[in-house]
Amino acid sequence: MAAPIVTVCDSETSLACKLSDLVHKKAEEAISQRCVFRLGVTGGSMVKVLCEGLPKHTADWAKWKVFFCDERHVPYTDKECSYGDYKANLLTAVAIPENNLYPIQPDITVEEAAVEYEKKIKEEFAGSDLPRFDVLLLPMGADGHTCSLFPDHKLLNEKDKLVAALSDSPKPPPSRVTMTLPLVNNAACAVFVVYGASKAEMLKRVLEGNEANPLPAARIKPTNGELIWMVDAAAAKLLDRQ
Ligand SMILES: O=C1O[C@H](COP(=O)(O)O)[C@@H](O)[C@H](O)[C@H]1O
């Protein structure tokens, strides 16, 4: 893996802008090579910056396919549902067809939902043993989690499943579906999006620490892809390099 690229933006607005420039550039490259752009998104604070920045560009939206790196196992109408957030805030702002947003099913058990989502991803990447997303947009929680991979959780050791269920998430809601490290680390480009002072201490640990038992976010090291951190000045304030 090449060394991670860390981009520090002055403000949340500038972060939204630079993030959308990057995603659009990656989309154009993917569409020109393969006629499709496969993106993975996450919920939480990501939704706001993404939905603010992306609509400022024109794009071949029909060729974008948007999957979820993780999802809370709640109904689509629940305020915790990331799919519901993107449906309300992204699909109303850009012309990505609704069918190109791939939700995780809430109306079956969480284990069934994980199996079904892995199948859906494998169908999308038919012919490849290990799917390779063009871009995965990743969060970093204040506890160092990413996707729904939490510190010291057994799913950090998952080697076979590409998508897994958990019912003991330390952050509510407890039931979730998440991409696992083998799938995330096979992405062509993994982009962490982190902003706000509440993430500053953890960002320093993940980027500058060298812990024996790495935090989940520190375990993202695409084996044959890029790793980019896009952060705002508030989150970066404790970093040695600024
Ligand atoms: O629970 C979750 O948390 C992360 C991070 O949320 P943030 O609001 O601290 O950015 C989120 O992105 C992830 O998708 C979600 O399930």
Side-chain angles (χ1 to χ4, degrees):
M1 188 199 84
I5 297 167
V6 182
T7 302
V8 181
C9 307
D10 302 343
S11 62
E12 200 183 301
T13 308
S14 136
L15 175 66
C17 196
K18 287 200 175 141
L19 174 65
S20 68
D21 288 349
L22 173 73
V23 176
H24 276 280
K25 181 170 156 273
K26 295 288 181 188
E28 280 177 9
E29 286 169 8
I31 291 168
S32 73
Q33 286 163 20
R34 291 179 293 283
C35 270
V36 60
F37 174 53
R38 299 182 180 105
L39 171 70
V41 297
T42 44
S45 54
M46 174 86 65
V47 187
K48 185 165 175 277
V49 285
L50 204 53
C51 296
E52 187 181 317
L54 285 185
K56 295 189 175 140
H57 294 252
T58 50
D60 197 349
W61 300 112
K63 297 200 170 83
W64 287 44
K65 295 191 173 185
V66 183
F67 289 78
F68 288 84
C69 301
D70 80 324
E71 178 61 284
R72 296 99 183 243
H73 191 243
V74 294
Y76 292 152
T77 49
D78 191 298
K79 64 175 177 25
E80 296 277 9
C81 178
S82 305
Y83 168 70
D85 251 3
Y86 281 100
K87 198 172 167 202
N89 297 299
L90 187 63
L91 294 193
T92 49
V94 301
I96 296 176
E98 192 170 337
N99 284 347
N100 287 14
L101 191 57
Y102 293 84
I104 291 171
Q105 296 301 315
D107 42 10
I108 48 182
T109 68
V110 70
E111 289 79 14
E112 287 167 345
V115 170
E116 194 266 350
Y117 208 61
E118 176 166 324
K119 192 166 156 251
K120 202 176 272 181
I121 291 175
K122 283 185 169 163
E123 279 165 12
E124 174 60 30
F125 291 87
S128 103
D129 290 342
L130 187 52
R132 184 166 172 79
F133 279 89
D134 295 307
V135 175
L136 294 180
L137 297 178
L138 304 174
M140 185 199 69
D143 61 352
H145 84 264
T146 189
C147 305
S148 284
L149 299 168
F150 290 90
D152 297 322
H153 195 279
K154 63 177 188 293
L155 279 185
L156 292 174
N157 301 317
E158 179 59 53
K159 299 275 184 292
D160 301 322
K161 293 177 184 164
L162 304 181
V163 178
L166 63 160
S167 299
D168 56 355
S169 163
K171 179 178 175 183
S175 290
R176 291 152 175 261
V177 170
T178 184
M179 290 186 184
T180 59
L181 289 174
L183 179 56
V184 176
N185 277 331
N186 198 46
C189 180
V191 185
F192 275 96
V193 181
V194 179
Y195 62 94
S198 64
K199 305 278 173 81
E201 278 180 27
M202 189 49 72
L203 189 65
K204 186 169 178 66
R205 270 182 73 184
V206 169
L207 282 180
E208 295 177 351
N210 187 15
E211 302 186 12
N213 174 23
L215 288 153
R219 293 176 190 237
I220 305 302
K221 295 180 176 173
T223 39
N224 187 21
E226 288 177 280
L227 176 59
I228 299 175
W229 284 80
M230 301 202 78
V231 305
D232 77 344
K237 68 182 180 186
L238 300 177
L239 296 182
D240 294 337
R241 48 175 171 185
Q242 297 250 0

